[in-house]
Amino acid sequence: RLSHASTGVHTSSGEGSMDASVTVRNLLGHAEEYNMVMEAGHQRSNAFKLQISKPRWLGRDIVLAADFGKQTVSRQKHSSFDEKSRGGKLSCTMGNAEDPAGCHDFSYELSLREVCKLPMRTASWSILEQRGLSVKSAISHTYTRSSLDNPVMPTSGSLLRLST
């Protein structure tokens, strides 16, 4: 399929949410994939995420991907604050877990986080110390090697995953 759309409802942390997703493949004819996800909760939580991936970069077994998003999580019901974050992630995946050399995934993530809408008189000290803006910058590497006979219902083999 070149495109796919879906909708759904779910609960998370006691909040009901509705989501919609649209995926478009091979839009420019280079096997790329675009995915957009939107979510809205009944307690002011919402999220928007755009994902773009390019497999077989430079004709090799390399996947480049970029994710950009914005999220607001309402924690008013249990903790009396809201948490907003926006940012992005770039990743490069090389190889295949079933190959002898395994699969390497390198990524960099940058996000801006804001703890807001705090009741100053009743908020805990730990939450008050976190209020305002903070930056998260992370580099990660994951190595995966698999010799499982079946990835869904394995009966023999092993799986090794190391992450930093």
Side-chain angles (χ1 to χ4, degrees), residues 66-84:
D67 300 358
F68 305 98
K70 178 181 175 183
Q71 179 179 29
T72 301
V73 178
S74 174
R75 302 191 191 281
Q76 294 290 335
K77 185 176 181 180
H78 300 291
S79 301
S80 302
F81 71 93
D82 286 351
E83 183 179 346
K84 296 179 180 181

Side-chain angles (χ1 to χ4, degrees), residues 16-56:
S17 298
M18 176 179 70
D19 62 65
S21 170
V22 176
T23 302
V24 178
R25 291 180 184 89
N26 206 25
L27 186 66
L28 302 175
H30 300 289
E32 67 281 347
E33 180 174 300
Y34 303 90
N35 187 26
M36 183 174 62
V37 180
M38 295 173 284
E39 182 178 326
H42 79 279
Q43 294 177 1
R44 297 189 310 261
S45 292
N46 61 62
F48 175 81
K49 189 172 192 179
L50 177 64
Q51 302 167 307
I52 303 167
S53 66
K54 170 69 175 111
R56 305 286 307 159

Side-chain angles (χ1 to χ4, degrees), residues 50-118:
L50 177 64
Q51 302 167 307
I52 303 167
S53 66
K54 170 69 175 111
R56 305 286 307 159
W57 187 58
L58 298 176
R60 304 186 73 167
D61 196 10
I62 299 173
V63 178
L64 295 180
D67 300 358
F68 305 98
K70 178 181 175 183
Q71 179 179 29
T72 301
V73 178
S74 174
R75 302 191 191 281
Q76 294 290 335
K77 185 176 181 180
H78 300 291
S79 301
S80 302
F81 71 93
D82 286 351
E83 183 179 346
K84 296 179 180 181
S85 64
R86 52 196 165 273
K89 179 179 178 180
L90 300 173
S91 63
C92 176
T93 305
M94 298 179 285
N96 189 323
E98 289 79 25
D99 290 343
C103 175
H104 293 273
D105 180 60
F106 300 93
S107 65
Y108 175 71
E109 182 177 356
L110 180 66
S111 63
L112 182 64
R113 176 178 169 251
E114 180 182 10
V115 175
C116 56
K117 297 187 181 176
L118 293 162

Side-chain angles (χ1 to χ4, degrees), residues 4-15:
H4 174 74
S6 65
T7 60
V9 293
H10 63 276
T11 59
S12 177
S13 301
E15 180 179 17

